[in-house]
Amino acid sequence: MAIFSARLFFFFPILFGHGIFELEASHHIYQTLQNLDEFASATSQPHRTGYHFQPPKNWMNDPNGPMIYKGIYHLFYQYNPKGAVWGNIVWAHSTSRDLVNWTPQKVAIYPSQPSDIDGAWSGSATIFPDGTPAMLFTGINPTGQQVQNLAMPKNPSDPYLLEWVKSPKNPVMAPTPENQINASSFRDPTTAWLGADGRWKVVIGSRINRKGLAYLYRSKDFVYWIKAKTLLHSAEDTGMWECVDFFPVSVNSSVGVDMLSILGPNVKYVFKASLDDTKHDYYTVGEYDPVKDVYTPDEGSVDGDSGLRYDYGKFYASKSFFDSAKNRMILWGWINESSSVSDDIKKGWSGIQAIPRVIWLDKSGKQLLQWPIKEIEMLRTNAVHLPRKVLQGGSVLEVPRVTAAQADVEITFKVSHFRKAEGLDPSWTNPQLLCSQKGASVRGSLGPFGLLVFASKGMQEYTSVFFRIFKGQNKYVVLMCSDQSRSSLNPDNDKTTYGAFVDVDPVHEHLSLRSLIDHSVVESFGGQGKSCMTARVYPILAINEDAHLHAFNNGSKSVTITRLSAWSMKKANIN
Ligand SMILES: *[C@@H]1O[C@H](CO)[C@@H](O)[C@H](O)[C@H]1NC(C)=O
Ligand SMILES: *[C@@H]1O[C@H](CO)[C@@H](O)[C@H](O)[C@H]1NC(C)=O
Ligand SMILES: *[C@@H]1O[C@H](CO)[C@@H](O)[C@H](O)[C@H]1NC(C)=O
Ligand SMILES: *[C@@H]1O[C@H](CO)[C@@H](O)[C@H](O)[C@H]1NC(C)=O
């Protein structure tokens, strides 16, 4: 369904507020910034990633409008063409056939209309029933208001979708005195969905004072949008909701569900908000009433900081999309730097994207599971499989023959000696705080045990990702930590320790950990993807060939490694 003709757009010249450019609707004003030869390669830097997506230089933040179109995966992202700090934001664009190797394309969306002249901010793709994509995104108008805009591909027969044209009706949603929307807190439209009533629905994040809001809009033609009287969802004391996301999940299968094919009895819903206050992505699992257009989290599924997070380290402004080629829901998320701004300027870049994760509902129905896309395994090479081994308390086991600065490792532990587990003090409810008080060097009984990544030869530097097991009221409690306190001799990095509880029963299940290690990032998946934790670290000694990988156990009781497989990872074309 081509809702409006792209030809409409060719005739309106627009005067930039700055009076610098006069723009024809064809997109050429940032031509110099689109010249990829101008990207000075920073490839010899030790902290640039080998297989995590990042542009050759400059600032990147939120993933935008991810989708698959005519067999090509698209990623757009918030990008500053002029430097390594936030500013001058445009939608940069890359395409891929496998979600691993990426080809940079020219900038897709940049300020060109009054409704986005001061910024082309985040948004989402919607695929119409006839297969045509549309993009809704936030623009900043000359009075600084946040408004929502529509763009369509100029040539839908081009699988690369290089040219985008904006609707002359923009903005298609805006704050007004009547609707009482806070004009500086109204952004990041979701993917829209088509209701059985024939109307499109879309959600936009906002706030009133400390209350986080998800405004719902409806439209018959995708151009003329009306704000609903009711909110899709809201929650007290959560602050501004950025990059809200809303999608169905199957209750009994890991297969993804397309928003357009919803409404089965075997479907639940996930609502995610990126909390501006804490810079983490939180989600709940619940029910959606498609008549009232209201979402209600299940009992026990809590909004905000005491609820569940996609990732307990660095992972923000995430966005999901339904991969119709492989029937799975895929999650993209931005991983910010932990280096100082002056170091970012020195290295000339800031921000990477997490490896895309497949997400589905755990069989408990209470939380999501996340796992790196299968395709990333195409980069695995030189497999190292170590035999089953008892790891005595206080010991370290080096994983040999692996490029430890660019690796994928899976380790599984079997624990016994449960009677010796430390008691869990009922006041220890904050796992991150507990991890920071009980880092890798604080010896326990059952744990800490796990991996030492980016370790220097003399152990002056290492990042530890590990478990501890405590005896709770009527079950054993598993804590997962990522301890960055000794990750680098550079004192200028944010070395906050991250922590989460993992909902596994260590008596009956083995405890697994997978880490994707890539020069300055370690993405860890505990309990087969039940708790995820991403850290940025910038070792000075443990770089390239000088990085080492170990398993370790700093508890007093032994644990058994039942599986340890590690792979050197090949480089991907990451742009
Ligand atoms: C509107 O949003 C701005 C920017 O986040 C915030 O400073 C202000 O407090 C908000 N006003 C209300 C009433 O929430
Ligand atoms: C999920 O359960 C429903 C009934 O409860 C059934 O009809 C459907 O086939 C199941 N799907 C899978 C993938 O098991
Ligand atoms: C980015 O990193 C800095 C330093 O670690 C941190 O203070 C800030 O909250 C982070 N922002 C996001 C969006 O993750
Ligand atoms: C294990 O604990 C000891 C004693 O606190 C400490 O010296 C050592 O650094 C720890 N090992 C690791 C890998 O943190």
Side-chain angles (χ1 to χ4, degrees):
M1 164 179 39
I3 277 170
F4 50 83
S5 158
R7 227 174 283 131
L8 282 178
F9 301 121
F10 293 129
F11 306 115
F12 53 102
I14 289 165
L15 267 180
F16 262 65
H18 313 89
I20 301 170
F21 304 105
E22 184 169 332
L23 171 73
E24 303 292 331
S26 72
H27 292 178
H28 54 244
I29 68 153
Y30 278 116
Q31 209 63 50
T32 54
L33 302 170
Q34 294 166 22
N35 181 352
L36 295 164
D37 296 340
E38 283 204 354
F39 285 128
S41 152
T43 44
S44 58
Q45 295 181 10
H47 298 136
R48 277 191 69 83
T49 56
Y51 61 96
H52 280 74
F53 182 95
Q54 62 176 149
K57 64 175 188 178
N58 294 331
W59 167 273
M60 170 173 67
N61 54 300
D62 310 3
N64 289 152
M67 64 171 139
I68 182 167
Y69 184 65
K70 294 187 188 289
I72 306 284
Y73 291 102
H74 291 259
L75 177 67
F76 304 83
Y77 55 92
Q78 296 277 287
Y79 179 64
N80 179 358
K82 296 181 179 173
V85 296
W86 186 87
N88 315 301
I89 293 295
V90 300
W91 279 45
H93 181 199
S94 289
T95 54
S96 171
R97 290 192 174 273
D98 57 16
L99 289 166
V100 173
N101 295 291
W102 292 89
T103 305
Q105 306 292 1
K106 63 180 183 171
V107 166
I109 297 177
Y110 51 81
S112 68
Q113 289 186 326
S115 59
D116 66 12
I117 204 70
D118 283 335
W121 291 7
S122 286
S124 304
T126 299
I127 311 278
F128 295 151
D130 75 348
T132 314
M135 213 60 94
L136 288 168
F137 69 98
T138 299
I140 310 300
N141 73 14
T143 61
Q145 289 188 316
Q146 298 173 7
V147 300
Q148 316 313 324
N149 294 306
L150 172 61
M152 299 281 293
K154 181 171 159 188
N155 175 12
S157 67
D158 169 20
Y160 295 99
L161 300 172
L162 298 186
E163 307 273 349
W164 290 81
V165 282
K166 295 174 192 169
S167 170
K169 296 280 204 275
N170 283 339
V172 294
M173 291 165 249
T176 63
E178 295 74 48
N179 65 27
Q180 305 227 322
I181 291 172
N182 184 339
S184 37
S185 299
F186 180 52
R187 55 185 180 266
D188 311 334
T190 60
T191 293
W193 67 98
L194 188 56
D197 57 3
R199 288 181 297 177
W200 289 98
K201 332 272 171 110
V202 73
V203 174
I204 296 141
S206 187
R207 62 182 270 184
I208 293 178
N209 301 317
R210 296 275 314 134
K211 186 175 186 175
L213 307 179
Y215 286 120
L216 183 102
Y217 276 75
R218 298 189 185 97
S219 175
K220 286 190 177 139
D221 62 2
F222 223 81
V223 176
Y224 181 67
W225 292 88
I226 299 171
K227 185 166 94 57
K229 289 204 177 64
T230 50
L231 298 157
L232 180 83
H233 188 44
S234 65
E236 298 294 341
D237 204 28
T238 49
M240 174 63 193
W241 285 3
E242 296 194 290
C243 297
V244 291
D245 202 2
F246 181 58
F247 56 90
V249 283
S250 169
V251 295
N252 56 357
S253 139
S254 61
V255 169
V257 185
D258 185 357
M259 257 300 190
L260 288 174
S261 64
I262 44 173
L263 298 180
N266 308 309
V267 164
K268 279 200 144 336
Y269 288 80
V270 173
F271 181 88
K272 184 274 297 190
S274 301
L275 295 198
D276 200 14
D277 285 10
T278 66
K279 303 292 181 201
H280 295 297
D281 280 12
Y282 302 84
Y283 71 91
T284 54
V285 178
E287 302 286 342
Y288 162 60
D289 179 334
V291 176
K292 296 196 180 111
D293 283 324
V294 170
Y295 166 80
T296 311
D298 287 346
E299 177 100 36
S301 198
V302 187
D303 285 295
D305 203 33
S306 42
L308 296 168
R309 295 187 207 170
Y310 281 159
D311 191 294
Y312 292 82
K314 290 213 153 181
F315 187 91
Y316 192 65
S318 63
K319 197 169 288 299
S320 66
F321 78 101
F322 176 69
D323 176 5
S324 54
K326 294 197 171 167
N327 286 319
R328 54 187 176 171
M329 194 57 92
I330 294 182
L331 183 68
W332 279 100
W334 165 45
I335 307 175
N336 180 20
E337 302 298 310
S338 293
S339 44
S340 65
V341 171
S342 60
D343 280 354
D344 293 346
I345 292 169
K346 232 180 283 168
K347 67 190 196 295
W349 54 273
S350 176
I352 64 174
Q353 301 294 332
I355 298 302
R357 302 172 179 181
V358 179
I359 48 176
W360 70 100
L361 191 65
D362 179 50
K363 59 182 183 311
S364 69
K366 293 190 160 78
Q367 70 159 99
L368 294 172
L369 297 175
Q370 302 173 56
W371 202 246
I373 49 159
K374 181 88 181 146
E375 288 90 329
I376 205 71
E377 296 172 22
M378 75 171 72
L379 300 175
R380 288 173 166 182
T381 179
N382 297 332
V384 175
H385 302 289
L386 297 190
R388 182 185 176 98
K389 185 173 169 64
V390 175
L391 203 53
Q392 298 297 339
S395 67
V396 166
L397 170 71
E398 175 149 15
V399 181
R401 302 184 304 280
V402 61
T403 57
Q406 193 173 303
D408 182 358
V409 54
E410 294 191 50
I411 188 166
T412 305
F413 297 95
K414 182 178 177 298
V415 181
S416 6
H417 309 294
F418 281 99
R419 270 177 301 144
K420 302 288 187 196
E422 288 169 77
L424 184 78
D425 188 306
S427 71
W428 295 349
T429 52
N430 180 335
Q432 177 160 354
L433 186 63
L434 190 51
C435 285
S436 64
Q437 289 163 349
K438 290 177 179 286
S441 60
V442 178
R443 298 199 59 176
S445 176
L446 295 183
F449 56 85
L451 295 171
L452 301 179
V453 305
F454 296 120
S456 62
K457 190 152 189 279
M459 291 287 185
Q460 299 94 331
E461 292 178 330
Y462 55 85
T463 295
S464 37
V465 187
F466 60 85
F467 299 113
R468 276 174 194 274
I469 297 173
F470 298 97
K471 193 186 297 175
Q473 293 289 39
N474 39 32
K475 59 171 187 178
Y476 293 96
V477 174
V478 177
L479 179 72
M480 174 178 167
C481 307
S482 185
D483 176 355
Q484 282 69 246
S485 59
R486 303 194 54 173
S487 60
S488 173
L489 296 177
N490 180 350
D492 298 333
N493 302 318
D494 175 358
K495 294 176 184 166
T496 305
T497 295
Y498 307 125
F501 293 114
V502 193
D503 185 22
V504 297
D505 168 8
V507 179
H508 299 104
E509 295 169 77
H510 291 192
L511 254 183
S512 73
L513 173 65
R514 177 176 180 190
S515 290
L516 294 171
I517 303 161
D518 193 5
H519 297 276
S520 60
V521 59
V522 46
E523 278 191 78
S524 299
F525 300 81
Q528 297 295 113
K530 282 188 166 167
S531 296
C532 307
M533 216 168 272
T534 297
R536 298 302 308 277
V537 294
Y538 310 87
I540 290 174
L541 304 173
I543 58 169
N544 299 328
E545 306 308 307
D546 296 322
H548 298 262
L549 172 66
H550 309 266
F552 83 107
N553 177 11
N554 228 359
S556 58
K557 299 294 156 205
S558 64
V559 294
T560 303
I561 298 174
T562 53
R563 174 180 184 211
L564 201 176
S565 297
W567 295 265
S568 296
M569 292 293 266
K570 289 178 278 193
K571 259 180 100 62
N573 294 324
I574 51 169
N575 237 318

